[in-house]
Amino acid sequence: MFKVIFNKKGIILFTGLFFYLPTIFAIDSINFSIDSIHARNWQLSQLNLSLAQINSTSPQLSLRAKNLVLPAPLNHTRLLDIHCRRFHWQKGNLDCQQGQAQLQSKLLNNQNFDFTFQVKNKRASFSINNLILFAGNISLSIKEKSGNWQASIKAKQLDLQKVQDFLASNQLEILAGKLNSEINLQGDMSSIEKIIISALVTELSLQDMQGKLATENISLQNSFTLKKYNNAWHWQAEQSLLSGAVYVEPVYLEVTKQKTIDLSSTGLWLAQKKKIALHSVTLNHSEFFNIHAKADISYVKDIQVQSADINLKSPQLQQISQLYLAPFIEGSELEGIQLKGGLQTQIQLKNNRVDFVKTQLNAVTINDAKQRIYASGLQGNLYWTPSLTNNKESTIQWDNLAIKAIPFAPGLLNFSMIDKHFTLLHSPRLSLLDGFFDIEQFEFNNSKKTGPTVLFRARLTDLSLNKLSSAMNWQNKLSGSLSGYIPAVTYQADTLSLDGSLKMQVFDGEITIKKLASSGLFTDFSRFYIDLEFDNLDLNQVTKKFQTGNIQGRLSGFAHDVYLENWQPISFFAWLGTPENDPSTHLISHKAVRNIASLGGTSAADAISRGVLAWFDNFNYRTLGIGCYLHDGVCQMMGASAAEKGYYLVKGKGLPRIDIIGFNTRVNWNTLVARLKQIASPEKITVEPLH
Amino acid sequence: MKKTTFISALFLTACVTINIYFPAAATEKVADEIIQSIQQEDISPQSHAPSISPLPQWKVSLYQGIDQTIAIFISSAQAEEVNLSVNNSQIRQIRARMKTRFPTLAPYYQLGFIGINPQGLLSSRGKIPLKDRNKINKLISAENTDRKNLYQSIASANNHPEWSAQIQATFSRSWVKHAQTGWWYQDGKTWKQK
């Protein structure tokens, strides 16, 4: 158990001194040279023992040794140039107090430090203090008894930048940071049985090389316990982000002591079976949200989540929306969407696949900064499953709903969500603009085989155009209604196309919308394709509504292949004019003549304001008409019929007869629109040649 | 196109070898116009509509007739040496997006968090505050995607997809030319402030 090996000189000196010196001299001190001292797994070598103050009542034994080899797990560490100012060495015992030594380690640079050690019977202890490492202070204490040991390592104010330099890590760049920690270990000579770590990281600023992770001045509190339990390791961990700023692409969080982020977990690690039983994981971000999960994970070949149950509860969706949702949707078509209210979600996984999702909405509000959608008072239970098994009917209801400023009355939808298939159930009737929107069928499927497909049939009944005008904030309010049947909708190449037609009963006539298609409807660059048919509109009502000067008669026509970008016409072919065999009264007012004349860019407008024509309020006309083929910003103009060198916009009848003839066949579209806008404000009329 | 028709007609009877060169001057003009419209002017589809010729109608008809005749013999590629088509739906869409994005980009140009790199694209630079990092990264990514698509779309619209790299090079010079005072651009590997 205890062995001392003397060298030959030491033995001679020691023997000589022992038998001779005391009888002749009064000696103050004695030195011994010893090759090595073994105490179980401890070994001191090349020793020099000094016995001083021999004549005093308490002589002092001190030790100098070349090195000290420690038992496992510190057997890779050697202490050099050991000096024990107070050293006790009796049979079976070694005791070094007030020691100083130099550390030589593969991992650490050479360091001078204070130390003590004691080997006594079946006990041993060893401590290091004032070891200066990474600009901080490290102390180490080890106690061993009958082959079982306990170690404690305390680190104070370690500079993490220096730690990173030492570790030579290229993944992270630590800009600043301090570490205070305590590690307690327990074990026997063959293995570690228990590890307890507590650490406080402060003022930590770091970033990764890709710029996807960064922190600024964060404080992070950690505690971790790992304990051997039969053939498994049981762990318990708690981490708290107390303050500072964190960026984990794309999320940026500022954490304060009042709103910390806390993560705790417990579980079992079955190393031999290559399994992890995650008993509990809880993530809290202040009162914003709470995620609780448990799972069984295997890593025999690949990581396999055999089963998992995740519960998310967020009573404050507004904060979640701002902190976590907004960064993800920034720059996408969903940018600007904000949520309020509460939400609870349960997700179940089996064999690496999501098996069940349930979401409960509680007074949720959806607000869009771009005013595409608004919904409030949303309540409902949403279910999703990958197959029919366990699927439940989802329900969502709202107090307020508006799509593109078009308001819906409070309503309810029932639907099912299975894999990539969404089906609306029970053919709902929604109240809309004093009319009804009956959705007979709506299914959306996004399978790999077919791509996104839509099945949609719906009927619009008596939607108020007046309410629509108000909702869209149109200057001129329309009267009448909109009805129609949409037998099918197709979705292809990011374009939504409606078959069938919508009919607007308006101005005592009918406007039919056909071939309606749109792409990028909710983006910053929406495109529309549409065909319009105008049938027998009452011009009296139309002209009153748009203040163009009264015209009596009827109006029919079409606008084919209308293409709009951002609601601006890019191309179309349109004609509007007096229907054939129209029996109605054909009268046009003085004001209307002036306005139409101004469109043609002639000086006729001024001419009719002077002379005999100025005496008449109205004129009879045979036909009127205007047409435009818009392409590349230019309107190729047409009229009611051809005239010499031009076209009739109004072809007169009777006396006084007035014809309005347009001569410019190619008109700049912007100029034409400007003129049309001016018509609504008669006092601003100016007549200039169109070019 | 019409300016060249008489000259082209005179050469119809001769044996002519026509080489199609990259229209550098026209591209530079287009780049300047597009960049200015993105950074300053209001853009609308109509604003790019061709103006009506001020010539008398009989002259226009005559020129159009000659032009159509010549077009039978000479492909439109030669005409593209002087005119670069930049008015189609795809280009309008890209330009509209870039125009919408510019007011958001502008303060970051000024703060030096983004700069123009030698490829005519944007790069992040300087110490970007963490709270702005995601926004800036996404802006740069979206803008660079649009710029690349714009160069390719212009090349394709003119039936020369292989011109994309040359168009990009031309644009890269124009981006620097139209950079405002205080903005950063990369000259080789060195960042310089305008």
Side-chain angles (χ1 to χ4, degrees), chain B residues 146-188:
Chain B
D146 276 341
R147 287 188 182 189
K148 287 175 190 170
N149 288 337
L150 177 67
Y151 308 145
Q152 189 59 59
S153 297
I154 293 173
S156 299
N158 290 276
N159 301 317
H160 286 283
E162 74 279 6
W163 283 352
S164 178
Q166 288 160 290
I167 291 171
Q168 180 167 353
T170 307
F171 265 83
S172 69
R173 289 190 293 274
S174 285
W175 285 115
V176 174
K177 187 166 89 180
H178 293 285
Q180 295 171 14
T181 306
W183 292 12
W184 291 81
Y185 65 96
Q186 221 171 0
D187 186 4

Side-chain angles (χ1 to χ4, degrees), chain A residues 110-277:
Chain A
N110 292 353
Q111 291 283 330
N112 293 312
F113 57 91
D114 301 332
F115 81 100
T116 63
F117 73 83
Q118 189 177 59
V119 182
K120 187 176 181 181
N121 299 327
K122 292 184 177 180
R123 294 168 183 245
S125 66
F126 173 76
S127 68
I128 289 177
N129 292 299
N130 298 325
L131 180 62
I132 306 297
L133 275 178
F134 309 123
N137 189 298
I138 288 180
S139 61
L140 168 70
S141 164
I142 298 176
K143 290 178 182 173
E144 185 252 329
K145 182 184 176 185
S146 304
N148 295 314
W149 55 267
Q150 290 183 3
S152 170
I153 304 164
K154 292 179 182 174
K156 287 182 183 173
Q157 294 295 97
L158 299 196
D159 185 335
L160 289 172
Q161 208 174 6
K162 293 186 186 301
V163 173
Q164 191 206 17
D165 291 343
F166 169 74
L167 296 173
S169 168
N170 295 324
Q171 297 301 312
L172 288 174
E173 182 188 1
I174 295 178
L175 307 169
K178 298 285 183 189
L179 171 67
N180 289 279
S181 75
E182 181 170 351
I183 303 172
N184 290 296
L185 307 166
Q186 289 179 18
D188 56 27
M189 290 303 168
S190 60
S191 65
I192 298 173
E193 298 289 322
K194 188 176 181 181
I195 302 171
I196 302 171
I197 300 172
S198 65
L200 176 65
V201 177
T202 55
E203 301 166 19
L204 178 62
S205 296
L206 59 80
Q207 61 185 25
D208 72 345
M209 296 299 112
Q210 293 77 38
K212 294 182 176 181
L213 170 71
T215 68
E216 275 179 2
N217 205 22
I218 63 166
S219 292
L220 186 64
Q221 177 84 55
N222 300 279
S223 71
F224 179 74
T225 303
L226 188 65
K227 189 178 178 184
K228 217 171 194 178
Y229 184 77
N230 294 330
N231 291 322
W233 287 91
H234 180 268
W235 88 83
Q236 186 171 353
E238 288 182 10
Q239 281 80 40
S240 291
L241 187 54
L242 303 172
S243 61
V246 183
Y247 174 74
V248 181
E249 191 177 68
V251 175
Y252 170 76
L253 299 171
E254 281 181 7
V255 181
T256 61
K257 287 182 179 173
Q258 291 75 36
K259 293 176 179 174
T260 60
I261 298 175
D262 305 296
L263 174 70
S264 64
S265 66
T266 61
L268 211 58
W269 174 32
L270 300 138
Q272 288 178 337
K273 293 182 179 177
K274 296 191 174 180
K275 283 186 177 179
I276 295 171

Side-chain angles (χ1 to χ4, degrees), chain A residues 207 211 214-216 245-247 249-250 252 254 327-330 335 524-525 527 563 565 568-570 632-634 666 669-670 691, chain B residues 44-52 57 87-90 92-94 96-97 100 127-135 137-138 142:
Chain A
Q207 61 185 25
T215 68
E216 275 179 2
V246 183
Y247 174 74
E249 191 177 68
Y252 170 76
E254 281 181 7
F328 281 98
I329 63 176
E330 185 154 4
E335 184 175 355
D524 291 331
F525 196 81
R527 283 181 278 199
Y563 170 49
E565 285 179 358
Q568 298 294 323
I570 300 300
D632 272 348
V634 175
R666 289 166 64 82
W669 171 251
N670 282 344
H691 51 78
Chain B
S44 66
Q46 292 75 33
S47 63
H48 309 293
S51 59
I52 304 301
Q57 190 59 40
N87 189 21
N88 65 26
S89 175
Q90 192 178 8
R92 284 196 296 270
Q93 185 174 10
I94 296 167
R97 277 202 303 263
T100 306
K127 190 177 186 315
I128 300 171
L130 290 190
K131 66 182 174 60
D132 294 326
R133 199 167 286 191
N134 177 53
K135 193 179 188 72
N137 286 345
K138 287 195 168 170

